[in-house]
Structures are given as structure tokens and as C-alpha cells.
Amino acid sequence: MARLYEYQSKEILRKSGIKIPEGMVVISPEEAKEAAKKIGCPVVLKIQVWAKGRAEIGGVKFAETPEEAKRTASELLGMEVKNFRVEKLLVEKKLDVERELFAGIIIDDYAKKPMLIFSSIGGMGIEEIAKEHPEAIVTHRIDVLEGFPEYKARELLGKLKFKGRTLVKLSGTLSKLYKAFRKSDARVAEINPLAITKEGDLFALDCHITIDDYAVYRHPEFGIEIAREFDRPPTELEKIAYKVEEKDYRGTFYFFQMVKSPIPKEKYIGFHGAGGGGSMMSMDAVLSRGFKTANFTDTSGNPPASKVYRAAKIILSQPGIIGYFASGSGVASQEQFNSARGLVKAFMEEKLDIPAVLRLGGNYEEKAIEILEAFSKFIPAKIEGYGRDDPPEFCAERLANLIKEGKTKVHKVRKIQDYTPPKGEYSFKTLTGKVSIDHRACANCTTQACVPACTYEVLKIRDGKPVLAISEEDAGKGKCTECLACELACFLHGEKAIHIYLPIPGLKEYREKLAREE
Amino acid sequence: MAILVDKKTRVLVQGITGREGRARAKLMKGYGTNVVAGVTPGKGGMEVEGVPVFDSVYEAIETVGEIDASAVFVPAPFVKAAALEAIDAGVKLLLLVPDRVPIHDTLEIASHADRKRAKFVGPNTLGVLSPGKAVLGMIGGRPETAKKWFNIGDIGVSSRSGGITSAISYYISRAGFGLSTIVHVGGDVVVGLPHPEIMKLFEKDADTKMVVMFGEIGTTQEERVAEMMKKGELTKPLVAFIGGKAAKEGTRFSHAGAIVEGGRGSYASKVRTLKEAGAYIAESLMEIPKIVAEVRKEHKF
Ligand code: SF4
Ligand code: SF4
């Protein structure tokens, strides 16, 4: 669930016709002063972070004068919440509140309907209200085909004895909140408190909306960087990983850092799962052996080898890890040789320096393990491949043993070399990269192993050299599946003439920065 | 008998000309599923794996006759349109395979399905497989592996993770037991047939003697199954395994749909309520075959 900041959530409400206090977003004390002047004091200043209970941690303050607003702002802007600095404040007019209410909409997974929750008491968390004043709460499940017109809201509010002007205003607000919820593809939309002022007006004093990750593509207006559940802004590496996912619809790639900089003493490993359930099970297995996971990664849904390769490169951009563990459910339906090829290419390029245990059970696991074994001699560190009959606990145990025996104890992140095409290059674009063949080397090749390796029949031999058997356009549109088979076959049996270039924008710079910081 | 899909089920594949649709049509046919038609708008008249392709579901039904189930393989943004088309044409069971379907789209599909008395599995599902009979979706990947991995038998499997559906079923088969139907209910928060709905079907199914369930943190599906057991709506023995013991609260694990929301839906709450209701709890995946063996002995299956 992608969270929005309070000011963004309020913008959605405002556009739907719900009243919000006059306010401005500021990023400096000076701006806060100006804002306070414009809006008129007293004002309230609120830190804009993705955390509940801001008041308890001192993130909500009042100011009687613009000068005071400036002073308060400089305090608030220096705050750190969950390791991240507060960068934005919302300065709002302070209102004379007569009464506080609660209105929220969530999705009831079992009814498969949005559920409106309304409480005639607000200000505190809805769980607390439910506990202490259950009589104050009404709920209503909404059929999306019927919607939530005002008369339905009136029926509901009648139960809580609302009357007259308040009843009419409230039902209008609830109906509008539902429309905003639907229109913004929200998972949660909560106004708390919803305030009735001394003048009898309704205002959304605080609001919290989260957007469905899978619908973020329909809402460029929210400027969501990473459509995922984070309780903190994404890290740089996460942003790099997310770009990979964004550009390649084949399969899923998810990358989440559990720790900013892994400390080797605490036994962090790079974790590469496949599939939600299998990943969690595999994570349990390593955690219960006293390891910690530096990151959580999932490549699943039949991803191409290129995606697995990029995932491995990103995992190996974490200095300080002491092992690499890849494991999914063990009986995957996806073609596991793709994972094997992606891993092997990445490990060779990275000259892997820490042991890796790769549990690639499932469809085509025999082929996957064969690939790992054929390439293990080109990888400096020990790698072991396992299949569906080897439980994750056993594999985690193997990793523990390899780490104990291993020479290198801690992973160092390597710099990424620039790609320079060879002189005799023949190349074609793929969906996310480029296949480059050094035709000069092919002159000495006796096997021409690249062509039969390409089961997608993308390559053919012309004048003794491999070239495209299909149009460049088709190759670029995904007919070349970036399975990496040709490159690896040529590496083993040919003249090492193929290089499949799969860029990861931003990774080179990221690694250079790491090196500088060291 | 089995549940949801068997040899006779007449299956339509929506999005049959795409990368996934094509590959899975091959799997389904190869395994023995009765795939009678495919639909891709604009590609009517083609053939894929010997299956005739039509421009619309309506046209497919006009030509080949009634459709019992449709497996949908179109990209996530188009799932809603494909599903509504099938529901509107009178298809009563849908399998929504794609991951990343917007949840509001699922809500709309659910409302339409309700009105037309149609059911759907997924979204974000690997599918349903009744060993020796038919597969709907992509469980097993290839016909050869699907045949090799899953024995015919009397154990039903319902799981919230695709990979684990296969894993549990494979380990049960390897231990010498067999399966009636295995179901991946889907990894999303809102799915058409969550665990309790699958349990109702297994309870009625004469081929199923016991059930194995894989649950995850988040949602209240597993707690509701426990309630069913207490009320006597699920009387067959249930072996349950809940994943995500080590997951920290608030962390979401990719499409697993696993979100811990307060106390509700936590690992502890699921295990406790299921235990109280009389389910057999497995602590690890590998323990499942052993517990299954014990339960069968106890019940003289
Ligand atoms: S195997 Fe390598 S060296 Fe041989 S023809 Fe193919 S690309 Fe050239
Ligand atoms: S050319 Fe063929 S073998 Fe090489 S990456 Fe593309 S599809 Fe794979």
C-alpha cells in the first residue's frame, strides 16, 4: 500500500469537495513564517511523515505568531522519525473545534466490498474507540455497483441520532469520501478527526490515504516513487531496483532493504527468494540458524533470466553481507533454468566472494542445477545448487557450513566497468538490453554452440557467423527472451564472443558512492 | 468428483495468443483438460495448440457451445474487462491468473459475479489441479512435471501461496499419499474464493477425506476456517501450516498479500484459533506429510 502524506491526502479530499483547513506545505522556517502570516495565526504546524501518532512524538505544534511559527518550524524540520529527517511541514489554520468525529473507509476482504466506518467520537485511534465506545461506531459495506449516495449515508447516520444541518452536511461528506476513495484507488481513506467547528462547519483536520500498489500506474498525479508498503522513504538501492521492475513486466521483482548497512558481525546474508510463501518459509530457515537478512528479494512469476541477473547484482550491491541464499517454495512452476542462468552470469561478473546456496527446486530443476555445476569452477566462491527434495532447513544449514569454511568472510562491492563494444561487434537490441557478438572471435569457433542453445530460434549462422534469424524489431520486442543461453553456451563451448549487456540505471553511480564513503 | 475442475469441465482460455496464455494452453491440453476455445479480440479465426480462437466470449459460446470455466491470462490492467465479458456471457467459474490486478477492479468483478451467481478463483493464482483429471491455470508448469509431481488420492489442498501449493502437494505425493484437488486461492488480499469457500467445497466433495491448508499472515481467512470447524461446517480433518512466523509486523512480502494489520491476522492469532478448533498444526512444510500420515492412521483412512 503506497502511503500518501497528509497534505496529499487532503488535496484529494479538497478536490472531492470536502472542506479542509486553509494550509500550506513548507520546507524552511522562513517559509513557515510567511505561511503563518498569510493564513493568519494561530496556526498548527505538522510534520509530514508516514507515521501515526505524530502528536505523541512532538510532531504537531501550535504557534500564536509568525515568529513563533518560524522558531517551531526550525525545531520540527530537524526532527528524525524512523531514521529519516523531516523535510516538509504542513502549516494550517487552527480552528475552533466543537466536536471530533471519525470517518474511514477500508476494504473488507471477506465481503469483497469497501467498508465505511463512522464514529461519533474521534480524535483517538479507531481501535481504541472500538474498545472504549463501541456504541459510537456504525459500519456499512458498500456495493461498488450501487455506490454510496447521500440518502444511504443519512440512513446510517440516523442511527447515531444526528439531525438537521449536521446530518445533511455529514452525509454529504461521507458520500464524498467514498467517491474520493474509489476515484483514487485507495486501500484506506481515513479522516480523523473529522471536526465540527463552533460555526457548525465540517472540516477534515487530519487525513490518511493509502493507494493500492497495483493501481499506482493509473495515478501519476500522486508522484509515488515506489508503489509499495514502506514506513519510511525508499532507499537509493530500492529506487534503483524499482526502476528495473517498472520497466519489465515479465515476472515480479521485489527488493526491500531490512538494514541500511549490514554489520558483518551480526551475520547478515543477501536473501533472494522466489514467490511470497516460499520466500517467507526460506527466510524462516535462515533466521532460525542465527542469521539476519540484509534484504528481502523476490523474483517470481516466471521472470526472464535478465531480471534474476539484475536482482542478483542489486543484492550484491550490499557491502557487509557474508553469504547469499536463494530459495523459494522448492516446487516452482516457473522455468528454473532462467534463474540459474541469471545467477551464474551475475556471480561470474561480480567474481562472487561469499558462499552461495541456491535452492532452485521445481520445473526444470535438473537443468538449473546442471547449469550451476557447469559454471561453479568459474566462480571464485563456493556455490551449491539444490532441488525440490532438499528442504530449506537443510539448505540453510549448508550455507552456515560454507560460511564457516569459506576464506572470504565479508562481501566487498565491486565497481561496475563501463561497457565498451568490441571492434567487430554485431549487435541487436533486446527488450531491456543488447546482445553483442564479437564476430572476429567467431572466426575461430568450431562449435557454433550459440545457435542450438537459443531454443527460441532467434539466431542462425550466416557466412560462418551467428546473426539474427528474425527481424530486429521482433528481437527487440521480446522474441529474444534474454534467456542468456547463447552467452553461456558460447562461454563454455565457443570463444567467449557473446556479451549480453543488461544495464541497471543508477547502479554504477551507487557503487561508486559506496566506494567513496568507505 | 474433485472440486472446481475435472475431466468434463469445458474450458475457455482468455488471452490465449499471448506468451503466458499460449504456454499454459499447452500445459492444460497436455494434462488432459478439456480446452474447447480461446479468445483474443482481433485474433478470431486463428488456432493455438489446436484450440480455435474467437474474438469474443459470446462468439466462442455460440460456436463451440457451453463454457464451464474460463482461465484468464490477459495482462493485469485488462483483467477486469475480460472477466466482466465472461461473466456477462454466462460463464460461471473464472480463474484470474495475473498478478497486480488493481484491488478496486477485483471489487467490481466480485459485485458483477455476485449478481450473476458466478465464482472466481484469484486474482494472482497459479490455478487449480485435480490429479489425473484436469488442470486450470499453470500449476506444474509442464504436463510432464504436473503428472510426475501429483498423485491421485483423497487429500484436498488449499493454499495462499502458489509455490507452496505445489510444494505441499509434491511432498504429500512423495510420501505415498494422493490428492483430490489442489487449489491456489490467490495471493491477493481480496480473492474470489478464499479458504473458507474452498473448505465448503471440500466438505461436500465425496473424493476428499481430509484437507491441508497453507495460510499466511494478513486477512482473516484462516480464523474463519477455524470458526467453521467450531460450528461443524467443516468436519473433515484439517492440517494447517501458517507461514510468516518470522515476518516482522508491517513488512509486506511482495505479492504474498501478507500484511499484519494490528492483532488481527497475525501468525499467533491464526495458530491459536485453529488449534482451539481442533486443527492439526504443522510447524514446518516438511512436517506436513508426517502429520498427514498420523491423521490418516487416527481416522483409519
Ligand atoms: S559459440 Fe560463440 S564464438 Fe562460436 S559462433 Fe557462437 S558466438 Fe561465435
Ligand atoms: S538470442 Fe536466444 S539464447 Fe540469446 S538471449 Fe536471446 S533468446 Fe536467449
Side-chain angles (χ1 to χ4, degrees):
Chain A
M1 291 190 276
R3 300 182 195 207
L4 298 182
Y5 291 108
E6 178 193 2
Y7 72 90
Q8 292 176 300
S9 304
K10 281 186 166 162
E11 185 58 22
I12 294 176
L13 295 189
R14 195 184 58 77
K15 282 191 181 141
S16 311
I18 296 172
K19 277 195 185 165
I20 55 171
E22 193 186 346
M24 286 169 92
V25 180
V26 302
I27 55 169
S28 70
E30 203 45 52
E31 278 185 30
K33 184 179 159 186
E34 286 307 308
K37 242 189 235 158
K38 230 186 233 153
I39 296 164
C41 284
V43 292
V44 54
L45 296 98
K46 299 195 262 186
I47 57 170
Q48 298 297 292
V49 291
W50 293 326
K52 282 194 175 178
R54 287 174 301 176
E56 284 89 86
I57 56 169
V60 178
K61 293 260 161 77
F62 298 96
E64 295 296 334
T65 64
E67 271 310 318
E68 194 186 347
K70 186 179 167 184
R71 270 200 312 277
T72 310
S74 67
E75 279 164 35
L76 292 177
L77 284 166
M79 275 179 77
E80 282 216 0
V81 180
K82 293 189 185 176
N83 288 325
F84 285 88
R85 272 179 80 89
V86 172
E87 284 174 352
K88 282 180 190 155
L89 303 178
L90 179 61
V91 182
E92 273 184 347
K93 183 141 189 89
K94 185 174 175 240
L95 301 176
D96 276 333
V97 176
E98 171 104 6
R99 186 174 174 190
E100 294 188 331
L101 315 165
F102 172 99
I105 301 178
I106 58 170
I107 290 173
D108 178 343
D109 62 88
Y110 206 70
K112 302 183 195 92
K113 287 184 168 83
M115 181 166 92
L116 177 89
I117 305 168
F118 178 81
S119 162
S120 54
I121 297 173
M124 50 174 144
I126 187 68
E127 291 90 356
E128 282 167 56
I129 303 172
K131 225 181 273 160
E132 285 164 33
H133 308 281
E135 73 291 341
I137 297 178
V138 286
T139 60
H140 176 72
R141 285 167 187 78
I142 300 168
D143 186 320
V144 290
L145 297 182
E146 284 172 13
F148 191 59
E150 285 185 31
Y151 74 87
K152 290 233 177 202
R154 283 200 300 272
E155 282 169 24
L156 195 69
L157 292 165
K159 287 185 201 161
L160 291 176
K161 313 254 177 312
F162 281 97
K163 295 243 174 324
R165 202 159 76 105
T166 315
L167 173 73
V168 173
K169 281 198 172 164
L170 252 183
S171 50
T173 299
L174 294 189
S175 181
K176 282 171 193 156
L177 177 62
Y178 172 72
K179 280 190 197 116
F181 174 83
R182 286 278 292 154
K183 209 174 141 208
S184 54
D185 274 300
R187 285 288 302 269
V188 178
E190 207 179 277
I191 304 176
N192 188 25
L194 174 62
I196 304 178
T197 60
K198 293 243 157 69
E199 296 77 36
D201 278 326
L202 266 183
F203 278 94
L205 287 200
D206 194 0
C207 171
H208 153 91
I209 292 178
T210 61
I211 306 298
D212 174 24
D213 292 349
Y214 299 164
V216 161
Y217 74 92
R218 308 203 265 229
H219 299 282
E221 73 275 19
F222 299 145
I224 293 166
E225 266 181 319
I226 296 196
R228 264 158 202 176
E229 171 85 345
F230 282 123
D231 54 2
R232 51 165 172 78
T235 66
E236 252 173 276
L237 199 54
E238 283 164 355
K239 285 189 207 167
I240 291 169
Y242 190 69
K243 288 228 177 69
V244 170
E245 167 69 357
E246 219 176 21
K247 289 209 182 94
D248 189 352
Y249 61 87
R250 303 165 298 177
T252 313
F253 167 39
Y254 179 86
F255 176 83
F256 178 95
Q257 278 182 295
M258 309 267 200
V259 59
K260 242 180 174 174
S261 24
I263 305 165
K265 209 172 66 220
E266 295 187 358
K267 301 215 285 180
Y268 278 102
I269 61 151
F271 180 79
H272 189 160
S279 297
M280 266 194 258
M281 187 177 77
S282 303
M283 222 158 101
D284 283 358
V286 279
L287 294 177
S288 67
R289 260 150 205 81
F291 293 108
K292 288 183 178 168
T293 46
N295 66 287
F296 178 83
T297 296
D298 175 1
T299 50
S300 56
N302 210 14
S306 55
K307 205 171 219 179
V308 177
Y309 160 86
R310 288 186 169 102
K313 295 276 270 195
I314 288 170
I315 293 171
L316 289 170
S317 302
Q318 304 175 103
I321 54 174
I322 59 168
Y324 193 107
F325 193 59
S327 169
S329 75
V331 192
S333 297
Q334 65 189 12
E335 293 159 334
Q336 292 288 41
F337 51 77
N338 280 323
S339 304
R341 291 200 182 109
L343 291 169
V344 158
K345 179 174 158 77
F347 290 173
M348 287 201 293
E349 280 181 18
E350 295 291 324
K351 304 204 169 48
L352 186 71
D353 56 357
I354 46 170
V357 169
L358 314 162
R359 183 168 166 267
L360 299 178
N363 192 9
Y364 285 113
E365 70 172 50
E366 293 78 9
K367 202 164 159 187
I369 294 171
E370 224 173 77
I371 293 169
L372 296 180
E373 281 169 0
F375 285 90
S376 65
K377 56 174 171 290
F378 305 108
I379 296 167
K382 270 245 157 97
I383 64 164
E384 291 184 359
Y386 294 99
R388 62 180 179 274
D389 289 332
D390 308 301
E393 289 76 21
F394 167 79
C395 295
E397 197 59 49
R398 281 304 308 150
L399 183 66
N401 285 332
L402 290 180
I403 288 174
K404 233 184 267 158
E405 296 160 9
K407 283 194 292 296
T408 323
K409 297 289 183 208
V410 181
H411 173 57
K412 273 216 170 77
V413 176
R414 305 175 67 84
K415 280 196 182 165
I416 291 181
Q417 301 303 325
D418 272 325
Y419 164 74
T420 36
K423 271 223 181 75
E425 183 189 61
Y426 169 85
S427 72
F428 57 87
K429 281 214 178 82
T430 63
L431 201 62
T432 68
K434 181 173 133 178
V435 173
S436 151
I437 309 177
D438 186 349
H439 269 172
R440 289 173 310 177
C442 296
N444 307 322
C445 181
T446 52
T447 62
Q448 297 179 332
C450 54
V451 174
C454 180
T455 49
Y456 300 92
E457 297 175 355
V458 170
L459 300 174
K460 69 173 181 199
I461 294 290
R462 196 181 59 206
D463 303 330
K465 287 167 193 147
V467 292
L468 270 181
I470 57 175
S471 73
E472 272 189 36
E473 199 195 337
D474 282 350
K477 270 197 193 148
K479 268 269 160 72
C480 162
T481 62
E482 304 178 334
C483 74
L484 310 179
C486 55
E487 177 179 327
L488 295 180
C490 175
F491 185 91
L492 278 188
H493 310 293
E495 300 292 323
K496 301 189 173 57
I498 304 188
H499 174 71
I500 301 181
Y501 173 61
L502 301 165
I504 306 170
L507 195 67
K508 180 170 182 278
E509 295 74 17
Y510 180 76
R511 288 192 178 188
E512 275 162 11
K513 209 175 114 199
L514 278 182
R516 278 200 303 277
E517 280 169 8
E518 221 177 81
Chain B
M1 237 168 67
I3 67 167
L4 297 168
V5 59
D6 64 20
K7 265 204 158 69
K8 283 178 294 194
T9 312
R10 292 170 57 81
V11 174
L12 171 79
V13 178
Q14 284 178 272
I16 194 166
T17 57
R19 178 180 89 123
E20 285 295 318
R22 199 178 276 272
R24 306 316 168 185
K26 191 171 171 186
L27 160 72
M28 288 192 262
K29 277 206 85 177
Y31 193 79
T33 311
N34 186 14
V35 182
V36 295
V39 165
T40 298
K43 298 265 168 87
M46 269 177 75
E47 249 191 30
V48 171
E49 299 294 325
V51 177
V53 180
F54 299 93
D55 284 318
S56 70
V57 179
Y58 176 79
E59 195 192 342
I61 294 174
E62 284 273 281
T63 317
V64 304
E66 206 156 309
I67 302 282
D68 299 314
S70 176
V72 178
F73 287 96
V74 302
F78 310 117
V79 165
K80 183 175 103 182
L84 296 191
E85 181 186 349
I87 293 169
D88 211 32
V91 180
K92 295 294 180 237
L93 177 66
L94 277 74
L95 184 87
L96 310 179
V97 174
D99 185 8
R100 308 187 72 79
V101 175
I103 199 165
H104 282 251
D105 289 3
T106 307
L107 296 178
E108 282 179 48
I109 295 169
S111 274
H112 280 280
D114 246 14
R115 282 175 170 68
K116 291 265 194 168
R117 298 188 182 289
K119 290 186 166 71
F120 63 99
V121 180
N124 191 6
T125 175
L126 216 51
V128 182
L129 183 145
S130 301
K133 297 185 173 111
V135 56
L136 203 57
M138 56 190 284
I139 299 184
R142 281 179 297 154
E144 302 86 288
T145 41
K147 282 176 191 160
K148 198 165 86 188
W149 290 350
F150 312 121
N151 289 351
I152 301 170
D154 57 22
I155 303 170
V157 172
S158 182
S159 156
R160 279 176 60 191
S161 153
I164 302 286
T165 312
S166 313
I168 289 177
S169 306
Y170 170 72
Y171 295 128
I172 287 176
S173 298
R174 200 183 55 168
F177 309 113
L179 311 147
S180 53
T181 300
I182 66 179
V183 184
H184 174 210
V185 299
D188 287 0
V189 172
V190 175
V191 292
L193 294 176
H195 281 319
E197 299 297 317
I198 299 299
M199 295 305 150
K200 280 185 204 159
L201 300 175
F202 276 136
E203 178 72 9
K204 274 192 278 182
D205 178 39
D207 283 352
T208 304
K209 284 193 179 145
M210 62 179 293
V211 185
V212 176
M213 172 175 84
F214 174 73
E216 278 178 351
I217 49 178
T219 82
T220 54
Q221 295 187 37
E222 293 78 10
E223 283 91 336
R224 286 177 201 269
V225 169
E227 274 164 37
M228 288 174 69
M229 294 175 76
K230 282 188 185 159
K231 283 195 220 142
E233 290 164 12
L234 176 64
T235 59
K236 296 180 180 178
L238 176 78
V239 178
F241 170 45
I242 310 294
K245 199 176 178 175
K248 69 173 188 193
E249 285 209 4
T251 307
R252 177 159 188 211
F253 291 93
S254 50
H255 59 276
I259 308 159
V260 184
E261 289 150 348
R264 185 192 114 161
S266 70
Y267 177 85
S269 128
K270 289 183 194 293
V271 169
R272 182 172 37 81
T273 50
L274 283 165
K275 243 187 210 157
E276 278 168 15
Y280 303 84
I281 305 292
E283 294 285 336
S284 79
L285 190 69
M286 296 303 158
E287 213 180 77
I288 292 175
K290 212 176 75 207
I291 297 179
V292 165
E294 286 164 14
V295 171
R296 297 181 75 84
K297 221 172 169 188
E298 186 186 325
H299 291 266
K300 303 200 168 59
F301 291 159

